Amino acid sequence: MDHLAAPALPMPEQWWDRIVAGFARSDIPAVSVTELLAVVLVAGVLSVPRATWRYFGLFATVTHELGHAFAALTSGQRLGGIKLRLNHSGTTTSYTRGRFAAVWSGFWGYPVPGVTGAALVWSGFNGWGPAAMSAGLLVLLASLMFIRNLAGVFILLAAVFAAAALVLAVPAAFTGHVAIILGLALLVAAVRDLAKLTNVHLRRRDQLPTSDAYILYRATAIPSGVWIVLFSLVVAASWVVAWQPMSHILAAAT
């Protein structure tokens, strides 16, 4: 009697199974000092040189604008849409009658790359790297419905394809390392963006209307400098969270 082989799953279904499988906790990666230094190096290559920042900075902008969007949704606002531009700028439009809700969503732009980066680093070191990558991919996919310009669609689709490639092609044993790399790169990006924001207020004051800190000042009468300090405190706290697992590896090696 002939036994027929079970039909292979269609490719899209295999992809979906891989994404869903990522939400199970994996083995905690054993990261040596050498591997940690390599991870830090790759993260730096992504986020420091101009040649790579030209592209990775767009992902940081996506994260920034999604921070505004998520804060708007969690405060009961109606999200009008997101525009992303190739010059690393973006705009998130939301509608509310409450001042607190507007301030809440206006604040969560610059700190979010740092917060996301810390979450990715923590996930990578604690066996949740695949879950973080799968969740990130789903968030990027869902965000497509809010994009309102052609450049934004292009940028977000590029981010979706890159995230999908990492989720589907990287073995689960190495996904934690990838999450750590992306997390550290976003943490560096958060510092870069804060430096750029500060420069706008100190030297390029003709660009003030585009500054989140200036917009918050107009909404609350609290000086822009205070908002920049608050942004910086959240980013600094994110660095502290990310540093904890790395410090344990360095301490164990001494």
Side-chain angles (χ1 to χ4, degrees):
M1 181 176 179
D2 294 334
H3 294 279
L4 298 178
L9 289 172
M11 189 65 71
E13 191 171 343
Q14 290 178 326
W15 295 345
W16 179 250
D17 287 346
R18 180 66 184 272
I19 293 170
V20 172
F23 286 100
R25 189 178 188 183
S26 63
D27 294 334
I28 296 177
V31 181
S32 66
V33 173
T34 301
E35 288 175 320
L36 179 61
L37 293 176
V39 162
V40 171
L41 178 62
V42 175
V45 168
L46 279 176
S47 55
V48 175
R50 285 188 178 182
T52 50
W53 175 251
R54 179 180 179 183
Y55 302 103
F56 187 78
L58 294 173
F59 179 62
T61 300
V62 170
T63 309
H64 176 119
E65 297 304 327
L66 289 182
H68 285 310
F70 184 75
L73 292 173
T74 57
S75 57
Q77 300 182 57
R78 182 168 64 87
L79 189 59
I82 301 171
K83 292 184 178 180
L84 304 169
R85 304 178 188 90
L86 294 173
N87 65 354
H88 293 191
S89 66
T91 305
T92 298
T93 304
S94 59
Y95 302 96
T96 180
R97 294 181 180 180
R99 177 174 295 184
F100 173 79
V103 172
W104 175 256
S105 59
F107 179 82
W108 291 106
Y110 282 98
V112 168
V115 172
T116 304
L120 283 168
V121 171
W122 183 91
S123 299
F125 278 111
N126 288 277
W128 293 106
M133 298 298 295
S134 291
L137 174 57
L138 294 179
V139 169
L140 291 173
L141 280 170
S143 303
L144 281 168
M145 69 179 70
F146 298 111
I147 301 300
R148 297 293 183 265
N149 66 325
L150 185 60
V153 171
F154 172 78
I155 292 168
L156 196 54
L157 280 177
V160 167
F161 287 134
L166 292 175
V167 170
L168 299 173
V170 176
F174 297 102
T175 306
H177 295 75
V178 173
I180 296 168
I181 290 170
L182 289 177
L184 289 174
L186 278 175
L187 283 160
V188 174
V191 174
R192 286 194 63 143
D193 283 342
L194 281 175
K196 181 180 177 180
L197 174 66
T198 303
N199 191 47
V200 166
H201 284 263
L202 294 178
R203 298 182 180 180
R204 299 181 179 179
R205 296 184 65 83
D206 58 307
Q207 299 178 17
L208 278 180
T210 65
S211 161
D212 288 355
Y214 181 75
I215 294 171
L216 288 167
Y217 156 67
R218 294 289 301 272
T220 64
I222 297 173
S224 300
V226 174
W227 292 109
I228 294 175
V229 169
L230 292 175
F231 295 158
S232 301
L233 288 174
V234 177
V235 171
S238 300
W239 270 100
V240 170
V241 171
W243 171 249
Q244 297 306 309
M246 294 189 290
S247 65
H248 293 158
I249 292 172
L250 295 175
T254 58

